[in-house]
C-alpha cells in the first residue's frame, strides 16, 4: 500500500504530471524542466525529488547538471501508472501545447539555457 500511496501523491500535482509527460520524449536536463515549468529551480528540484521517491523517474549527474528520465526498470505498478497517464493525457490540449514548447526548449543549447539557473547541480 505504501508504494501506491507514494505514487498517488506524486501524480496528484499537475506540474509533476507535466514533467512525466515531458519525459515521454526522453531524458531532460533539470534546466530544461525548469524552463518548461517556469518555476524556481528549488521548486522544480522538490518536484523531481517527489517523483524520484515514487520511483517514477531516475536521475543521473553529469558534471554540474542533473538529468532525469522515466524509470527504465520500473516495477509493474509503476509501468501501469505511467501507461495510464500516457493514455489518459495523450490528447489533452495542455499536454499537446507542452509538446510543441518542448521541441523549442530541446533545440536550445544546454549551456546557454543552464547558465540562467544556479541550482542545477
Amino acid at each position: 500500500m505504501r508504494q501506491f500511496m507514494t505514487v498517488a501523491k506524486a501524480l496528484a500535482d499537475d506540474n509533476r504530471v507535466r514533467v512525466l509527460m515531458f519525459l515521454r520524449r526522453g531524458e531532460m536536463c533539470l534546466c530544461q524542466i525548469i524552463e518548461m515549468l517556469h518555476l524556481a529551480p528549488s521548486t522544480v528540484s522538490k518536484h523531481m525529488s517527489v517523483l524520484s521517491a515514487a520511483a517514477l523517474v531516475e536521475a543521473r549527474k553529469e558534471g554540474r547538471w542533473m538529468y532525469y528520465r522515466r524509470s527504465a526498470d520500473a516495477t509493474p505498478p509503476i509501468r501501469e501508472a505511467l501507461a495510464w497517464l500516457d493514455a489518459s493525457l495523450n490528447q489533452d490540449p495542455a499536454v499537446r501545447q507542452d509538446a510543441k514548447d518542448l521541441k523549442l526548449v530541446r533545440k536550445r543549447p544546454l549551456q546557454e539555457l543552464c547558465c540562467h539557473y544556479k541550482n542545477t547541480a
Side-chain angles (χ1 to χ4, degrees):
M1 179 164 325
R2 183 181 252 0
Q3 181 185 30
F4 173 83
M5 294 306 296
T6 303
V7 170
K9 287 177 186 178
L11 296 177
D13 181 272
D14 60 337
N15 288 310
R16 290 191 290 266
V17 168
R18 286 178 67 204
V19 168
L20 289 170
M21 297 306 283
F22 304 158
L23 295 176
R24 287 185 308 170
R25 309 270 189 249
E27 184 177 72
M28 291 177 69
C29 176
L30 183 62
C31 298
Q32 293 170 312
I33 298 169
I34 292 167
E35 186 72 13
M36 286 295 297
L37 293 177
H38 303 288
L39 296 172
S42 59
T43 303
V44 176
S45 290
K46 178 63 178 167
H47 284 308
M48 299 314 296
S49 158
V50 171
L51 291 171
S52 276
L56 292 163
V57 300
E58 297 172 349
R60 70 176 177 88
K61 187 171 183 166
E62 185 175 306
R64 57 183 284 226
W65 295 317
M66 289 296 294
Y67 291 86
Y68 292 90
R69 67 177 180 259
R70 283 185 171 196
S71 292
D73 297 323
T75 62
I78 298 297
R79 284 195 306 269
E80 290 169 13
L82 291 171
W84 173 65
L85 187 72
D86 292 344
S88 298
L89 296 177
N90 195 40
Q91 298 302 316
D92 183 84
V95 170
R96 293 174 73 101
Q97 183 60 52
D98 277 345
K100 290 178 187 175
D101 295 343
L102 183 57
K103 286 180 184 178
L104 298 175
V105 168
R106 285 186 181 272
K107 287 182 182 178
R108 292 181 62 190
L110 279 181
Q111 290 186 348
E112 172 192 312
L113 185 61
C114 294
C115 74
H116 300 291
Y117 307 110
K118 294 181 178 152
N119 276 348
T120 58

